[in-house]
Amino acid sequence: MREMRPSDIALYEKVEKALSDVSSDGWHPGLERVSVLLEALGTPQAFPAIHLAGTNGKGSTAAFLESIYRAAGYKTALYTSPHLIHLGERLLVNGYPLPPELWAEASQKVAQTILGHPWLSQHRPTYFETLTAAAYLLVRDAKPDVAIIETGMGGRLDATNILPDCRLAVITPIDWDHMAFLGNTLSAIASEKFGIIVPGRPAIFSDNHPELAPEFRACCAAKNSPAYTMDECRIFDAETSLDGCEFSLTTPCGTNRWFSRLLGTYQPENASLALRATEILQKDFPVTEEARREGLRTVRWPGRLEVVSRDPDVILDGAHNPHGMKALTDSLLALYGKDRLLTVVFTAMADKDYAGEFSYMSSRLKIRLICTRVPHNTRCESAQVLAQKATGYPFIDVPLAVEDPVAALEKARGFSDPVILCGSLYFIGSMRSRLVSSDEWR
């Protein structure tokens, strides 16, 4: 893989603009537009796929699956969102992003198809629909043995949910998520996520809310799809450190002890879901125990409890909702204990429940809080507003407001305590590009 150059980043940005220029604004439910677009493009999505939906953990689970199958010798494609630094991260083939020139060709084909199609030119697809169509063109041309596809939002009406050769639907933990679009009950949200289940093909659910299991099984039964839940498995003796996590897992196929390089008390759950998925698909895509071990050992998932430097530790994490903050807090407790003072550099989009995040982290950890913002992002809450809101919670010292994120990080490093950057994936992406060499994109 060539080193990422500024010209590559600029070309990826041109691709984004080209797709945006032919897209409608916002999110408009429905699969009609993307279905018509994909048909006009020659149905590029007819590749063997594993499809993932869920509220949290689907990116990590997808990364585990891709890493295992690549370790087993399969040619893989991995489509995820959002990206942290550049568009190319969203689609990896055999673990690497494609050259931006290929993205430019695919985006041009999508744009020309939309502008030259009487119906599509009047009913413009959304940006994520055009992006997914371009990605599916690239996956088709790459000819992978298996493509791991993560939904953008929801499932039933998500632009990714047109996969005629989906071998397995994977449902990761479900929680409160995009209620304005998906519904204001867990059952309604789950129904949208379960919408990726394909008739006659198996599906597995993490079963983090057991009360949703009957709904999952009913959905599978209605589609004549074999149903699997993780209550058939047991995770035990989990340990986490700055080197990774170890855990034991019992499945219907036996008991083993595993190691993953991804940090976090929640990663054994994600890794176990991926391991069980490979067992279910053993006839489709045979893998050895050795490949599973190698896949877990070498997996990468940037910006999610990622240690980017030591002395002091600097950790990036994309937690941006209360459920994600709970997972981050639990992991930090396991790594450092409840008495270690941590410095958290935090920012959030104005429409997020950052009060819920403040409440959870301040009540369980000893935290010195520095609030900042993502430059030039109009959705981002100001550092001053965040710090003012945070004063009502039991942080150590008065929360600070440092508008410039680089200055905020330097301020945090000056305290010599472990530094945690979190609150927004936009923030993590912008800071990771400064903290990690450009050729270490993932």
Side-chain angles (χ1 to χ4, degrees):
M1 185 198 78
R2 73 188 189 197
E3 182 176 349
M4 195 60 58
R5 303 169 299 197
S7 59
D8 292 330
I9 303 294
L11 187 49
Y12 282 129
E13 290 173 351
K14 287 183 179 179
V15 169
E16 291 185 84
K17 185 178 186 305
L19 293 175
S20 181
D21 286 346
V22 295
S23 302
S24 60
D25 294 330
W27 187 75
H28 310 292
L31 294 176
E32 185 177 13
R33 293 176 304 276
V34 70
S35 297
V36 172
L37 175 57
L38 289 170
E39 184 177 357
L41 290 168
T43 316
Q45 72 276 20
F47 42 74
I50 299 171
H51 202 188
L52 296 96
T55 303
N56 288 293
K58 59 183 184 290
S60 298
T61 305
F64 279 124
L65 283 166
E66 188 278 334
S67 189
I68 289 170
Y69 284 122
R70 182 156 43 90
Y74 292 98
K75 185 175 185 181
T76 62
L78 174 65
Y79 181 53
T80 60
S81 61
H83 61 268
L84 292 178
I85 299 171
H86 62 76
L87 178 69
E89 298 167 17
R90 292 186 182 232
L91 177 60
L92 310 181
V93 174
N94 269 350
Y96 292 102
L98 295 171
E101 293 82 3
L102 292 181
W103 271 101
E105 292 173 11
S107 65
Q108 183 180 30
K109 187 175 293 186
V110 169
Q112 289 174 344
T113 299
I114 292 171
L115 295 176
H117 192 288
W119 189 85
L120 286 171
S121 62
Q122 296 297 314
H123 303 82
R124 298 288 182 94
T126 66
Y127 173 74
F128 187 65
E129 289 168 350
T130 61
L131 178 69
T132 298
Y136 281 1
L137 284 173
L138 293 169
V139 175
R140 179 196 64 188
D141 293 345
K143 297 181 173 59
D145 299 310
V146 57
I148 294 90
I149 307 293
E150 178 194 7
T151 56
M153 180 172 65
R156 182 176 64 92
L157 300 177
D158 188 79
T160 62
N161 195 28
I162 306 177
L163 294 168
D165 192 14
C166 178
R167 304 298 177 89
L168 177 68
V170 179
I171 315 297
T172 68
I174 291 173
D175 223 292
W176 304 104
D177 182 30
H178 299 294
M179 283 87 78
F181 300 105
L182 305 182
N184 56 11
T185 66
L186 278 180
S187 177
I189 293 169
S191 180
E192 293 297 318
K193 310 287 186 183
F194 297 156
I196 69 167
I197 297 170
V198 175
R201 297 295 178 89
I204 182 168
F205 175 37
S206 69
D207 201 31
N208 66 307
H209 285 288
E211 68 271 22
L212 298 176
E215 185 175 341
F216 168 73
R217 295 187 181 281
C219 182
C220 288
K223 296 182 177 183
N224 196 31
S225 299
Y228 299 87
T229 58
M230 287 301 288
D231 66 354
E232 302 168 322
C233 306
R234 186 169 74 94
I235 303 168
F236 58 100
D237 292 341
E239 301 174 0
T240 190
S241 72
L242 290 173
D243 296 318
C245 63
E246 268 193 279
F247 61 96
S248 296
L249 172 67
T250 297
T251 75
C253 295
T255 299
N256 274 295
R257 186 141 183 96
W258 304 94
F259 169 79
S260 165
R261 67 178 295 172
L262 296 190
L263 310 187
T265 55
Y266 51 89
Q267 289 300 1
E269 181 180 357
N270 296 330
S272 296
L273 182 59
L275 288 167
R276 181 64 181 136
T278 65
E279 291 178 349
I280 295 167
L281 288 176
Q282 184 67 7
K283 288 184 178 179
D284 294 70
F285 307 110
V287 295
T288 64
E289 180 180 318
E290 182 182 357
R292 291 185 175 99
R293 292 195 182 281
E294 179 68 7
L296 263 61
R297 188 185 66 80
T298 59
V299 65
R300 298 293 302 277
W301 190 231
R304 284 76 169 183
L305 213 65
E306 180 184 14
V307 181
V308 294
S309 65
R310 303 293 296 269
D311 300 320
D313 299 339
V314 176
I315 296 177
L316 306 179
D317 191 80
H320 59 282
N321 57 35
H323 188 268
M325 185 56 69
K326 178 183 183 301
L328 172 59
T329 300
D330 289 347
S331 297
L332 293 174
L333 279 169
L335 290 170
Y336 295 109
K338 63 182 179 62
D339 296 322
R340 181 71 180 272
L341 180 58
L342 308 175
T343 300
V344 171
V345 182
F346 180 90
T347 193
M349 299 300 106
D351 59 347
K352 293 295 183 180
D353 180 17
Y354 52 80
E357 297 178 69
F358 288 156
S359 176
Y360 202 86
M361 66 170 128
S362 66
S363 65
R364 303 194 65 204
L365 294 168
K366 289 179 65 175
I367 290 177
R368 176 191 297 110
L369 185 70
I370 300 176
C371 298
T372 188
R373 67 168 297 150
V374 181
H376 315 300
N377 188 314
T378 56
R379 285 184 55 211
C380 192
E381 189 65 274
S382 74
Q384 288 78 11
V385 169
L386 289 171
Q388 182 181 15
K389 297 283 188 183
T391 58
Y393 298 90
F395 290 105
I396 303 300
D397 301 330
V398 177
L400 302 176
V402 180
E403 200 75 8
D404 178 68
V406 177
L409 174 59
E410 290 310 307
K411 180 78 172 176
R413 278 176 158 162
F415 291 112
S416 300
D417 299 309
V419 177
I420 318 300
L421 283 70
C422 64
S424 161
L425 278 171
Y426 295 104
F427 174 50
I428 297 308
S430 66
M431 295 305 290
R432 190 177 192 274
S433 64
R434 295 175 177 272
L435 293 166
V436 179
S437 172
S438 63
D439 60 339
E440 295 180 50
W441 52 269
R442 66 180 304 270

